[in-house]
Amino acid sequence: MNIYKLEYEQHIPASQDECWQFFSDAKNLERITPPDMNFEIKSDLPAAIYPGQIIVYKIGLFPGISTTWVTEITQVNEGKYFIDEQRFGPYKLWHHQHHFIPSTNGMLVRDIVHYSIPFGLLGKIAHWLYISKKLGKIFNYRREILTEIFDEGQLKRKTITT
């Protein structure tokens, strides 16, 4: 089984509390996911995330083909990190760490994803031809949208002092 690793970082000009409030609210996933994925949250969401929380989504894999994706929030250290893991969905393994690290004039948001594709050799080929590129596009889209939201003031921000 091949386990792949993605690591993305982005500086966000916001406070730790603002970052935490935004990223720990699963409703914001729809905002930062490319529209062509037809991403839709199907479960009711509580006010705050917690370990053991199950979230059900509908996502588009390919044009015209969608699936249900079920993740569990497995760890939460408020303001610092949370981890979600796939329980049912398109991957054989999906382990996604979301870290929030104070930096000059804001926060460094770090995503670390370990994942594996099912279907043996066919999965490896699909990863090489499509999946790795699609994941790159998803995280690049997120970078653009987060820049708009935080850098261009679409999110009310407090003054950050260092």
Side-chain angles (χ1 to χ4, degrees), residues 74-109:
T74 58
Q75 295 180 43
V76 176
N77 186 336
E78 190 166 337
K80 296 182 179 176
Y81 71 87
F82 66 92
I83 298 172
D84 65 85
E85 296 181 14
Q86 175 186 283
R87 292 297 173 241
F88 175 82
Y91 296 91
K92 190 171 188 176
L93 166 75
W94 181 268
H95 182 271
H96 186 175
Q97 303 172 48
H98 309 258
H99 295 271
F100 308 95
I101 304 153
S103 68
T104 305
N105 295 322
M107 299 295 292
L108 179 65
V109 176

Side-chain angles (χ1 to χ4, degrees), residues 5 8 11 20 23 26 28 44 73-74 85 99-100 104 106 118 137-138 159:
K5 180 181 180 182
Y8 286 91
H11 179 266
W20 182 258
F23 288 97
N28 287 320
D44 293 327
I73 304 297
T74 58
E85 296 181 14
H99 295 271
F100 308 95
T104 305
K137 287 179 183 178
I138 291 167
T159 302

Side-chain angles (χ1 to χ4, degrees), residues 40-152:
E40 183 181 356
I41 297 171
K42 297 301 223 173
S43 40
D44 293 327
L45 299 173
I49 64 171
Y50 59 89
Q53 178 183 354
I54 299 291
I55 305 172
V56 180
Y57 317 92
K58 180 182 172 193
I59 60 166
L61 297 177
F62 305 99
I65 299 173
S66 63
T67 191
T68 298
W69 193 1
V70 179
T71 61
E72 177 182 357
I73 304 297
T74 58
Q75 295 180 43
V76 176
N77 186 336
E78 190 166 337
K80 296 182 179 176
Y81 71 87
F82 66 92
I83 298 172
D84 65 85
E85 296 181 14
Q86 175 186 283
R87 292 297 173 241
F88 175 82
Y91 296 91
K92 190 171 188 176
L93 166 75
W94 181 268
H95 182 271
H96 186 175
Q97 303 172 48
H98 309 258
H99 295 271
F100 308 95
I101 304 153
S103 68
T104 305
N105 295 322
M107 299 295 292
L108 179 65
V109 176
R110 178 179 293 142
D111 288 279
I112 303 170
V113 181
H114 289 89
Y115 66 100
S116 181
I117 310 298
F119 307 119
L121 180 60
L122 289 175
K124 288 179 188 180
I125 294 169
H127 182 263
W128 182 71
L129 290 174
Y130 181 78
I131 296 167
S132 64
K133 293 171 183 67
K134 182 69 171 178
L135 288 171
K137 287 179 183 178
I138 291 167
F139 278 95
N140 287 332
Y141 179 85
R142 287 183 179 184
R143 178 181 304 280
E144 292 172 17
I145 295 302
L146 290 169
T147 297
E148 288 177 19
I149 291 169
F150 286 94
D151 288 349
E152 296 178 11

Side-chain angles (χ1 to χ4, degrees), residues 5-62:
K5 180 181 180 182
L6 294 174
E7 208 166 320
Y8 286 91
E9 293 183 347
Q10 183 172 2
H11 179 266
I12 302 289
S15 70
Q16 189 166 12
D17 184 56
E18 288 169 318
C19 274
W20 182 258
Q21 292 304 317
F22 183 85
F23 288 97
S24 68
D25 183 349
K27 289 177 272 192
N28 287 320
L29 276 172
E30 289 183 27
R31 245 175 120 178
I32 64 173
T33 300
D36 67 339
M37 292 191 67
N38 298 315
F39 185 89
E40 183 181 356
I41 297 171
K42 297 301 223 173
S43 40
D44 293 327
L45 299 173
I49 64 171
Y50 59 89
Q53 178 183 354
I54 299 291
I55 305 172
V56 180
Y57 317 92
K58 180 182 172 193
I59 60 166
L61 297 177
F62 305 99

